Amino acid sequence: MQQQNQHILDDKLTFGELVERLYQWLFVFLRKWRFLAAMVLLGALLGVAVALLKKPVYHADTTFVLEQSEMGGLGNISGIASMLGLNLGSVGSESGLFKGDNILELYRSDAMLSLALLTPFDTAGESQLLVERYIRFHELDEKWKRKVDFESLNFSLPRQRFSVQQDSVLREVVKEIRKVSLLVDKPDRKLNIIKVTVASKDEDFAKRFNETLVETVNDFYLKTKTKKTAENLSVLQQQADSVRTVLDEKIQQLARFQDKNPNPNPLLQEGMVASRSLQIDIQASAAVYEEIVTNLEIAKINHRNNTPLIQIIDQPRYPLERSEIKLITGILLGAIIFFLLGMAFVYLQTLFYRHFKQ
């Protein structure tokens, strides 16, 4: 037991011994100052090369506010409908498609990104698609030339006519963009403000793809959000037009009958029955038409209230915000990193010679 305690006391490092070891290592590093200086110089030169050769990354940002319809307005419409003896059922129920953060995932979906990439992009008199611009700028045709014959690919064809190879290339481009170029987020989780950022070394592509993606997703959002109410509105409008056509025909028939018989003989029942029958048809058609028009006006109000407001706050404008490695930053980072690597090499080399070369 005493030997174990003595061994523990011997293993403890005093402050004096710690200072002595630090001086020893400092002396070791000072002896290697030429090597460390060479590493610092090498790191600085590499930092200069990176700063000069690395292309800047451009950031295209679009910020917009999404205001969805609230149940309060639809409740008022339901109240009006109840007063008129109508039952709208669950017409005002909120669809779950765009609740919460689903709209953010819609921006990252393959379908929306593919639609945006297949949009024409004309620049400097050259007509091409955004996906073709991305492939050419990032030299994917050179990287994938062993696997893909890009000369035979025609992305301007309808999507349903794409070959397996075309779908594969488009899917890989979408994955790459979603991984390294696209950021969709809410700056404040309590608000309905959404920010879409596209980062790319191609300034023109970043701006145009950002604008196209926002337009594509927002159009899809509006159409899907109002699809049910729009279909209901269309059906009611067709019914109203049809009943109005029948009503107009009956009124014209009654007018023609009265023109032919301006002074009908009250003793002849045939003329009275025909006139009365037309009047009944007109009254019935008018009542049906009035009911349909009432439903149609309520459907129009419901459709307007169900249409969300998408208000663009900020759009990407030239020159885009750019992020790059400054020359001074490159020199300092390169020098520091290689200095630390040099010290680590000297430290490990010294330990190796002390313990394995004795």
Side-chain angles (χ1 to χ4, degrees), residues 203-260:
E203 185 178 17
D204 293 332
F205 175 84
K207 181 177 184 298
R208 182 59 184 274
F209 184 73
N210 181 283
E211 295 171 341
T212 304
L213 180 62
V214 171
E215 181 180 359
T216 300
V217 175
N218 289 350
D219 286 347
F220 176 82
Y221 175 85
L222 290 173
K223 291 178 181 178
T224 306
K225 194 78 169 79
T226 60
K227 183 178 180 180
K228 291 182 179 180
T229 56
E231 291 176 350
N232 184 42
L233 184 61
S234 177
V235 170
L236 287 174
Q237 186 65 58
Q238 292 177 2
Q239 292 178 348
D241 294 340
S242 177
V243 174
R244 180 58 188 264
T245 300
V246 173
L247 179 61
D248 290 342
E249 290 179 356
K250 294 298 181 181
I251 293 175
Q252 291 177 1
Q253 289 179 9
L254 179 61
R256 286 194 296 268
F257 178 82
Q258 291 177 347
D259 289 341
K260 291 180 181 180

Side-chain angles (χ1 to χ4, degrees), residues 20-39:
E20 182 180 355
R21 290 190 180 184
L22 290 176
Y23 272 115
Q24 291 177 356
W25 281 111
L26 180 60
F27 180 72
V28 170
F29 290 132
L30 288 176
R31 283 194 308 170
K32 298 289 186 177
W33 69 270
R34 291 186 178 86
F35 172 75
L36 296 176
M39 292 291 290

Side-chain angles (χ1 to χ4, degrees), residues 113-158:
L113 291 173
S114 298
L115 283 176
L117 284 171
L118 295 176
T119 302
F121 176 51
D122 300 330
T123 178
E126 183 180 5
S127 179
Q128 58 183 337
L129 301 180
L130 282 170
V131 63
E132 295 172 338
R133 171 70 177 236
Y134 186 89
I135 291 173
R136 183 179 303 176
F137 186 87
H138 293 83
E139 300 179 349
L140 298 182
D141 49 351
E142 294 294 330
K143 296 178 182 177
W144 300 344
K145 63 181 180 180
R146 295 184 178 179
K147 298 180 179 180
V148 181
D149 181 14
F150 282 93
E151 294 183 358
S152 63
L153 300 184
N154 183 11
F155 290 100
S156 61
L157 295 174

Side-chain angles (χ1 to χ4, degrees), residues 261-275:
N261 302 278
N263 297 307
N265 189 344
L267 298 178
L268 299 177
Q269 296 297 320
E270 183 179 359
M272 297 296 294
V273 170
S275 176

Side-chain angles (χ1 to χ4, degrees), residues 113 134 172-183:
L113 291 173
Y134 186 89
E172 291 302 319
V173 172
V174 166
K175 288 181 181 179
E176 188 169 312
I177 289 177
R178 185 167 48 226
K179 181 179 180 180
V180 301
S181 300
L182 180 63
L183 177 63

